[in-house]
Amino acid sequence: MNAFAAAMDRIYANPSMAAAAVWISAITSEERPIRVIRRAPDRITDFGAGRFVSDTIMVDVRVSDLPDLRSGDLIVIGADSFTIQGEPIRDRERLIWTLDLRPS
């Protein structure tokens, strides 16, 4: 394990940084507890001469927690349920998935 991976493990273990969640496979209904870092950046979309600002829900998940996930899988955080939309994207080090979510 390199230093970056060790640092990520500590960040995800910190309750101030990451939240407990459950991943549910859309295909097999398998469930797995995971830790996620929640983000909600605004997304700006240009359309003709106008610009639209929309809310987004994104989470970062360790690849070691979920090596095989896909669009349509569910992420449950507390009482909130979200569906992964689009393709999950890994970081340069291949340690973290970035998931774009929509409410289920």
Side-chain angles (χ1 to χ4, degrees), residues 6 13 28 41 76 89 95 102 104:
T28 64
V76 180
I89 300 170
L95 297 174
R102 64 177 164 79
S104 297

Side-chain angles (χ1 to χ4, degrees), residues 59-72:
V59 295
D60 292 334
V61 179
R62 290 181 294 183
V63 172
S64 61
D65 287 347
L66 292 175
D68 185 33
L69 53 102
R70 64 191 51 83
S71 181

Side-chain angles (χ1 to χ4, degrees), residues 9-20:
D9 287 344
R10 293 197 63 171
I11 289 171
Y12 277 86
N14 186 330
S16 298
M17 296 290 293

Side-chain angles (χ1 to χ4, degrees), residues 7-101:
M8 286 294 100
D9 287 344
R10 293 197 63 171
I11 289 171
Y12 277 86
N14 186 330
S16 298
M17 296 290 293
V22 175
W23 165 80
I24 303 171
S25 171
I27 296 174
T28 64
S29 298
E30 174 189 356
E31 294 185 14
R32 185 177 305 166
I34 58 173
R35 303 279 300 167
V36 299
I37 295 177
R38 244 179 127 155
R39 297 183 288 132
D42 287 340
R43 182 173 292 154
I44 298 174
T45 306
D46 294 326
F47 184 75
R51 292 175 59 153
F52 298 94
V53 177
S54 57
D55 297 333
T56 63
I57 302 167
M58 302 182 84
V59 295
D60 292 334
V61 179
R62 290 181 294 183
V63 172
S64 61
D65 287 347
L66 292 175
D68 185 33
L69 53 102
R70 64 191 51 83
S71 181
D73 289 353
L74 295 176
I75 303 288
V76 180
I77 305 169
D80 300 324
S81 180
F82 303 96
T83 302
I84 299 173
Q85 62 182 0
E87 289 300 314
I89 300 170
R90 286 187 292 180
D91 69 333
R92 187 181 75 157
E93 301 292 328
R94 303 291 194 227
L95 297 174
I96 306 295
W97 289 111
T98 296
L99 310 175
D100 188 9
L101 306 178

